[in-house]
Amino acid sequence: MSEGIVSYRPGEGPIHSLHPITKVVLVVSVIAGAYLAPTPVVVALLAALVAATVVDGVLDAVWRPAVTILLPLGAGLFVIHGLFTRGDGTALTAVGPATVWRAGVEFALATFLVLAAFVLAGLLFVTTTHPKRLMVGLIETGVPRKLGYVFVASLQLVPELQRRARNILDAQRSRGLDTGGSPRERIRALVALFGPLLIGTLVSTQTRSLALEARGFSMEGPRTSLYDLPETTVDHALRLGGVIAVAGLGAWRLL
Amino acid sequence: MTIELDGVTFTYEHAAEPALSDVSCRIEDGSFVGVTGPTDAGKTTLCRLLPGFVPHFFGGDLDGAIDVRGVDVPESSIGALGDAVGFVFESPADQLTGAATTVLEEVAFGLEQRGVPRDEIERRARERLTEVGVADLADRDPQSLSGGQLQRVAVASVLALDPEVLVLDEPTSQLDPDGTRELFDAVSRMHEAGYTVVLVSHDLQRLAPRADRLLVLEEGRLRADGAPREVLADAALDGTVATPPTVRLGRGLRADGVVPADEPLPLTVQAAAEELRAHATIDGADLPDGGSDSTPAAAGSPSTAGDPRVRLDGVEHVYEGGVEALTDVDLTLDAGCVALLGHNGSGKTTLAKHLNGLLEPTAGRVSVAGADTREQSVADLATHVGLAFQNPDEQLFRPTVRAEVAFGPENLGRDADRAVEAAVEALDLGEVIDESTYELGRAVRKRVAVASVVAMGTDVVVLDEPTGGQDPAGRAVIGRLVDDLVAEGRLVVPITHDVEFAREHADRIVALADGRVVADGPPAAVFGNAEVLDRAGLDPPVAVAVAAELGLSGAPTVADLRAAARPDD
């Protein structure tokens, strides 16, 4: 139903069992750290991320989207910087009339490694972090409850809207609407799609808000959660480690 | 403590007429009250009063007093009333929180909002799921469940808050027969466990034997209020409520003097069979011969020389995810009313989408008017095949009924004015022709959706669940339409769970199970074959079930049974 969308993969691995806020801290640390760190450290970081992905057992869920995102990105980087970033003018090789510059390739490689760390950290986070647990964790750290709800609800809204849009288009095409014709026809098709999509969503939103209200969503008073999110010493150590590493890299940069 | 409505009149904001007029009634603790009546009679408004949705969410003018277990509803709030009254909506999916990744989270939601301790949340949520019979779904994603499963999850979710009163507003109108039966059974168990139940439905064959009281609303007023048997004895209500077939049979037998007039009317198949056994003899030979085989019938053979209108040869359809929805389907559809039956997931809708090219077979061939559907666009095929979808909300988009119905014929370059006029008349929409489609109730919107397809003037008309959510009058309109289209020589293919409708209007039944055709023949033959019904997961029509209970074969109608019943001396 939600092809192409990377989503949570149930599991019991070590990354899965981390507190969601620990993972938020680590993702932010990886992003900041990869940006600040020298290339060898980024390589080590990448190796650590790949190892975490393998150990946690989500490699099969991560590698395909990672390749889909990184392959065109990497190709673009190497072509553009390799050919157009001259640096000190040292040529690496010549391909026909084009020269590949050493500095360009080095820059492309460094950038690519940083981006790969971003993407891998993001995918690892999404596939191992249960959205509801994340919401609970965020609320516990002070994020407003309604914002937490919107976050999780919007994750579910996308496949629902896709399904609805498909049904509407089917219904309109069945009545002779040509969705692949002239620009005028296409605009007509768009109007025919958005009317019912909007109205249908509004109708179901009305029911949903009533159902939420009746179940006490707006009630005053303390909340509890189905989920217990224990914070272990590993969590504390990892959070602290992430922050110290980023601070250290920042200091190294400044010096 | 009870629920008490005293002289309640309510008019929605911007509405000209009140939705409820001077309604007074008292609902005792622990009772099961059925509510029925035509579309727009005020049933939903009555339900909305109890949890305070009216007047706290839907504003308007409210007169009179509503007291729910000592709480003055207009003075209270929805959140506070949620502790006393649980509400289950018509649409299974829309009432989910939309923020739960598992069924357990869904049920836990209300408890979390109330600050219930963690270990108790899980215990109570699981208990409620067990009570409604879906404990095994606790770890499933709600979005992957069927309508029937979702409705029971919705019941469990409101039960988790320990309400005393359970209000269900047409909870089965979007469910298949299995889902409907499961929901009614779950609700009956709740009633036995001591809950007060208020349930709105047109399905009186199921509702009447379970409820201890039946309220009939019409035009916002309480037209009848009493024990189901007494209310249904009044034949004057026949146009207003869907009188159950067993009651119609019982009334007939009393009128004929076969059963003494003072015996209570039968509300169930067993009771109807019982009274026939006690008072009459039916000779199987007096019933029309249904035959027992289920080989393809003559009704679908080509009426004219040349290509049949629709032909499927060895059709197979495998969805992208690998789900095999149709397997080796061979069918020739040419004339008459060919009803497509089967439980949810049997492949009915997938098959229907092959008829106008929305889906193409992954193996085999579908031809419409002799041409392979793979070689034509859906827009081209629309000149031959019209397909009305189940959910009108996913179909209607123009500002008025007139414009909506004109959309199809305009696309096909046909005379829209004449087509609109005829379709609007056929579906009894004359009164609303210039109204906004968004202002109409779901049942009327559904008829607009059907009209907008009928107006295309296609040779083949496919209708997905045409009677879903219709009151008796709406159902009669659809029935007449189908008969008229067939009389004009068009091929009508209703996809339906409504076996009574199929028995009455179809010339041929095609039953699907697991993507295969398991029966194909005249209604009497298919419905008379218990084994085939079982394989297709279909309930027999009520009269057929009564006959089977008496050990008679074949597929009689209520009229057949009545005519064949000879009084014992």
Side-chain angles (χ1 to χ4, degrees), chain B residues 402 405-424 451-452 454-458 490:
Chain B
R402 187 191 297 277
V405 178
F407 180 73
E410 280 170 7
N411 277 330
L412 303 185
R414 295 183 174 159
D415 180 354
D417 288 345
R418 268 220 345 247
V420 170
E421 205 175 298
V424 160
S452 68
V454 168
M456 290 160 64
T458 50
R490 301 211 236 172

Side-chain angles (χ1 to χ4, degrees), chain B residues 245-246 249 269 500 540-548 555-559 561:
Chain B
T246 58
L249 176 62
V269 166
E500 305 290 340
V542 171
V544 177
V546 172
T557 61
V558 166
L561 284 177

Side-chain angles (χ1 to χ4, degrees), chain B residues 455-512:
Chain B
M456 290 160 64
T458 50
D459 285 345
V460 183
V461 180
V462 186
L463 306 171
D464 200 348
E465 289 300 339
T467 59
Q470 296 293 322
D471 62 7
R475 217 166 150 268
V477 166
I478 301 282
R480 262 200 311 279
L481 169 82
V482 169
D483 294 346
D484 289 349
L485 292 175
V486 169
E488 285 170 20
R490 301 211 236 172
L491 165 66
V492 184
V493 183
I495 303 166
T496 184
H497 293 309
D498 188 341
V499 287
E500 305 290 340
F501 183 84
R503 178 75 182 90
E504 229 173 299
H505 300 282
D507 306 304
R508 178 178 162 201
I509 305 282
V510 173
L512 290 173

Side-chain angles (χ1 to χ4, degrees), chain A residues 148-195:
Chain A
Y149 170 80
V150 170
F151 165 73
V152 178
S154 56
L155 289 181
Q156 302 209 335
L157 192 66
V158 175
E160 168 64 19
L161 283 180
Q162 282 177 333
R163 187 196 59 77
R164 230 185 256 265
R166 224 178 3 247
N167 288 350
I168 293 168
L169 271 181
D170 277 355
Q172 313 298 27
R173 289 165 69 204
S174 300
R175 285 160 74 198
L177 182 71
D178 196 347
T179 49
S182 64
R184 194 172 157 270
E185 289 288 339
R186 282 167 194 260
I187 289 170
R188 253 163 62 89
L190 219 56
V191 172
L193 172 64
F194 278 108

Side-chain angles (χ1 to χ4, degrees), chain A residues 68-84:
Chain A
T68 315
I69 299 169
L70 289 173
L71 203 63
L73 208 63
L77 275 173
F78 281 100
V79 169
I80 291 171
H81 288 288
L83 296 181
F84 300 107

Side-chain angles (χ1 to χ4, degrees), chain B residues 68 192 233 289:
Chain B
V68 174
E192 280 157 24
D289 180 23

Side-chain angles (χ1 to χ4, degrees), chain B residues 81-378:
Chain B
L81 281 159
D83 286 331
V85 184
F87 195 98
V88 176
F89 297 80
E90 180 175 359
S91 163
D94 291 351
Q95 61 191 305
L96 297 176
T97 57
T101 56
T102 66
V103 164
L104 192 67
E105 289 171 16
E106 182 67 35
V107 180
F109 186 87
L111 298 169
E112 293 175 332
Q113 308 308 313
R114 280 164 176 74
V116 173
R118 175 171 302 122
D119 40 350
E120 207 188 320
I121 293 181
E122 177 155 1
R123 185 182 55 76
R124 263 164 76 175
R126 287 196 189 274
E127 259 175 33
R128 295 312 182 221
L129 285 169
T130 307
E131 275 175 15
V132 295
V134 288
D136 52 329
L137 302 179
D139 297 321
R140 290 267 301 273
D141 178 354
Q143 299 207 357
S144 71
L145 304 185
S146 72
Q149 292 171 325
L150 276 181
Q151 265 322 31
R152 284 182 290 159
V153 169
V155 173
S157 303
V158 300
L159 286 183
L161 304 179
D162 277 331
E164 287 91 4
V165 184
L166 194 55
V167 181
L168 304 100
D169 186 9
E170 300 211 34
T172 61
S173 75
Q174 298 180 25
L175 305 188
D176 69 352
D178 282 344
T180 301
R181 192 171 32 244
E182 287 159 358
L183 186 86
F184 267 106
D185 287 348
V187 171
S188 283
R189 283 201 300 279
M190 296 305 113
H191 175 222
E192 280 157 24
Y195 290 96
T196 306
V197 175
V198 178
L199 189 148
V200 177
S201 180
H202 291 303
D203 187 351
L204 297 187
Q205 188 70 65
R206 285 203 173 84
L207 179 57
R210 292 177 155 94
D212 36 42
R213 230 169 96 205
L214 192 60
L215 306 183
V216 180
L217 285 166
E218 192 174 18
E219 292 178 352
R221 293 180 183 276
L222 200 53
R223 166 107 186 252
D225 175 2
R229 206 171 258 119
E230 288 157 22
V231 170
L232 292 172
D234 182 2
L237 286 173
D238 279 0
T240 311
V241 305
T243 308
T246 58
V247 171
R248 280 191 282 127
L249 176 62
R251 280 201 211 137
L253 295 173
R254 282 156 185 74
D256 297 343
V258 175
V259 175
D262 56 353
E263 292 244 339
L265 281 167
L267 298 182
T268 62
V269 166
Q270 288 73 23
E274 195 48 50
E275 73 174 22
L276 273 169
R277 209 178 278 129
H279 298 287
T281 312
I282 295 183
D283 185 347
D286 290 341
L287 292 175
D289 180 23
S292 55
D293 66 345
S294 59
T295 46
S301 57
S303 55
T304 50
D307 293 312
R309 284 179 171 139
V310 178
R311 189 184 166 122
L312 292 84
D313 290 306
V315 168
E316 175 197 277
H317 191 88
V318 182
Y319 282 103
E320 254 174 54
V323 177
E324 191 165 340
L326 290 177
T327 309
D328 202 19
V329 174
D330 292 307
L331 280 176
T332 302
L333 309 172
D334 200 41
C337 173
V338 184
L340 223 51
L341 270 59
H343 56 81
N344 279 0
S346 61
K348 302 188 300 290
T349 301
T350 303
L351 177 55
K353 286 183 176 174
H354 277 79
L355 304 185
N356 73 342
L358 281 174
L359 291 177
E360 288 171 358
T362 46
R365 182 175 191 269
V366 178
S367 50
V368 170
D372 193 323
T373 55
R374 270 180 287 224
E375 285 151 20
Q376 299 167 77
S377 71
V378 177

